[in-house]
Amino acid sequence: MRLPLNQNLEDLPVYQPGRPIEEVARELGMNPSDILKLASNENPLGPSPRVVEAVREFAPKLHLYPDGGCYALRGALAERLGVAGDHLIFGSGSNELIEFVGHALLEPGTNIVVSEYCFAIYPIVAKLFGAEVKEVPSVGYGADLKAMREAVDARTRIVFVANPNNPTGTLCAPEEVEAFVESIPEETLVVIDEAYVEYLERPPSLIARLADSRFSNLLLMRTFSKIHGLAGLRIGYGIGRPELISQLEKIRQPFNINALAQVAALAALEDDGHVAATTKLNAEELQYLAECLRERRIEFVPSYANFLLMRVGDGAAIARALQERGVIVRPVGAYQLPEWIRVTAGTRQENEIFVDALDEVTGRPSLR
Ligand SMILES: *Cc1c(COP(=O)(O)O)cnc(C)c1O
């Protein structure tokens, strides 16, 4: 091929998502209903029944373009969060927001600061825009915020912190995050990725900072993919000062949020019961999984999210063997964690299937 491609594509790493159930079923010659996916931190309870109903009701109107401004959803979400509507930007998953900030701020000669074991998309997007990635060693598998602050230099355009972090499940204390945000120069954007914030008992309160124009360099990112169980619809959002949001809006495609995603997200916001059921199940099942791992003397990182990172030996081989038994988990070799796998907390029945399969592939007699 003789196309003069963007140079940055040459060595660009490709993100490896959790494998879809249908793909694994085809490969193994199995029925998709016999396959369990615990690889992408999806909600084991699925979407709220109210969402399913709202989507069904909306289906006859699919010939119409969506509302590019997400009017109804924006209003409902702004009220929930206690901000004005102009503090919000919606993305096709929060992943799209990462790309927006890349477009807005990154070019060759600039850099981003991230932690070791950070969410994989940050470095990929930085490299796509030709920016350098400054990776700061972690402490206890979590972000070392003081060291990250020290790594910020005059060319640092964005510093990313996922809190809780994926794939490690670690959490930085709210006071430390607040101090960190305050310490970052106004010339550097601070992105706090709160994809799992709704699972926390005491969620941090950085939104209050956005009342102050000093924090026009702060962007909080959240998603409907995890707690709300809408990963398939692709919708996330950013919260920031209007002077930042209005610039990012220029990058956004007019209809990036499809109509079903808007309808579904709005219905999801109205179902507090589903969110509560999800957090309750998650807390119980994380505890169950942790107990199973302790009994087996398998090391794990205590998690504040909806998954557990566990040290199983050869992570890739164990993930492959589990997959042959119809259980899809996430090997994390690409995160420089070759001995580990990341497993989403499922329902009790799903977690039991996982633990049994793990016992089989590690050759342990079942302890259950
Ligand atoms: C899952 C996840 C996201 C959200 O992805 P979507 O694009 O909204 O589905 C963002 N950040 C982190 C750290 C995640 O784990």
Side-chain angles (χ1 to χ4, degrees):
M1 190 166 72
R2 303 188 56 173
L3 294 172
L5 293 173
N6 179 339
Q7 282 280 311
N8 301 323
L9 294 177
E10 200 156 303
D11 304 310
L12 195 69
V14 177
Y15 182 71
Q16 297 291 347
R19 297 189 64 196
I21 289 175
E22 283 71 20
E23 183 182 300
V24 172
R26 276 196 303 277
E27 191 177 292
L28 298 175
M30 281 172 74
N31 196 325
S33 60
D34 292 332
I35 293 191
L36 169 60
K37 185 182 177 203
L38 298 174
S40 301
N41 306 340
E42 291 143 338
N43 188 330
L45 298 179
S48 149
R50 291 205 206 174
V51 166
V52 176
E53 188 50 38
V55 164
R56 196 174 277 137
E57 254 175 47
F58 186 84
K61 288 181 271 185
L62 282 177
H63 60 297
L64 300 173
Y65 276 99
D67 171 1
C70 297
Y71 179 82
L73 175 61
R74 183 184 303 275
L77 188 57
E79 194 182 318
R80 272 281 156 143
L81 299 171
V83 298
D86 61 2
H87 285 55
L88 298 175
I89 181 166
F90 293 92
S92 177
S94 46
N95 268 292
E96 193 184 29
L97 302 169
I98 302 170
E99 201 182 315
F100 291 168
V101 296
H103 273 293
L105 289 157
L106 301 180
E107 61 189 344
T110 66
N111 69 58
I112 69 164
V113 169
V114 294
S115 174
E116 184 183 24
Y117 313 131
C118 72
F119 187 47
I121 304 291
Y122 315 144
I124 292 178
V125 167
K127 287 171 190 164
L128 175 62
F129 289 101
E132 189 202 329
V133 177
K134 292 179 83 175
E135 189 187 283
V136 176
S138 62
V139 274
Y141 299 99
D144 181 344
L145 294 181
K146 289 216 172 77
M148 287 179 75
R149 166 66 191 92
E150 279 160 28
V152 169
D153 62 31
R155 292 167 183 271
T156 304
R157 294 287 171 83
I158 312 176
V159 44
F160 287 98
V161 179
N163 203 41
N165 185 48
N166 174 13
T168 56
T170 51
L171 182 76
C172 299
E175 313 79 63
E176 282 172 35
V177 179
E178 297 220 357
F180 175 74
V181 166
E182 276 170 25
S183 75
I184 300 297
E186 288 181 63
E187 293 76 17
T188 297
L189 178 68
V190 190
V191 174
I192 308 290
D193 182 345
E194 301 187 320
Y196 302 95
V197 76
E198 299 92 345
Y199 291 93
L200 298 175
E201 260 174 57
R202 287 186 308 123
S205 54
L206 286 166
I207 290 176
R209 287 285 185 280
L210 296 172
D212 182 348
S213 63
R214 153 67 181 89
F215 294 101
S216 55
N217 67 333
L218 173 62
L219 183 70
L220 309 177
M221 293 194 326
R222 297 188 181 179
T223 180
F224 284 91
S225 297
K226 308 287 161 58
I227 193 96
H228 293 295
L230 299 182
L233 281 175
R234 314 302 307 125
I235 177 164
Y237 56 98
I239 321 169
R241 294 275 313 164
E243 54 273 29
L244 171 66
I245 297 295
S246 60
Q247 295 301 317
L248 299 179
E249 278 288 342
K250 296 177 185 171
I251 297 156
R252 190 179 64 78
Q253 293 293 312
F255 301 116
N256 67 325
I257 307 299
N258 72 72
L260 285 181
Q262 294 185 36
V263 163
L266 186 57
L269 274 186
E270 285 163 2
D271 194 348
D272 291 330
H274 190 69
V275 169
T278 301
T279 48
K280 179 168 181 287
L281 176 74
N282 185 61
E284 289 166 359
E285 294 309 310
L286 276 183
Q287 206 171 354
Y288 172 76
L289 282 173
E291 196 52 45
C292 291
L293 295 175
R294 261 184 233 113
E295 282 171 3
R296 289 160 177 77
R297 307 200 186 295
I298 297 174
E299 184 184 352
F300 63 92
V301 180
S303 174
Y304 291 86
N306 66 347
F307 54 83
L308 264 188
L309 184 70
M310 54 191 80
R311 191 177 215 155
V312 291
D314 183 342
I318 297 282
R320 222 176 300 118
L322 287 169
Q323 190 174 284
E324 280 163 17
R325 286 163 177 77
V327 181
I328 314 174
V329 301
R330 196 68 158 273
V332 281
Y335 287 88
Q336 313 307 319
L337 291 163
E339 298 184 346
W340 301 71
I341 56 173
R342 193 196 68 198
V343 181
T344 308
T347 61
R348 178 59 53 90
Q349 194 197 1
E350 290 172 338
N351 295 330
E352 287 176 354
I353 292 171
F354 160 71
V355 171
D356 285 344
L358 186 65
D359 281 337
E360 264 183 58
V361 306
T362 54
R364 279 191 203 80
S366 177
L367 291 174
R368 282 209 317 109

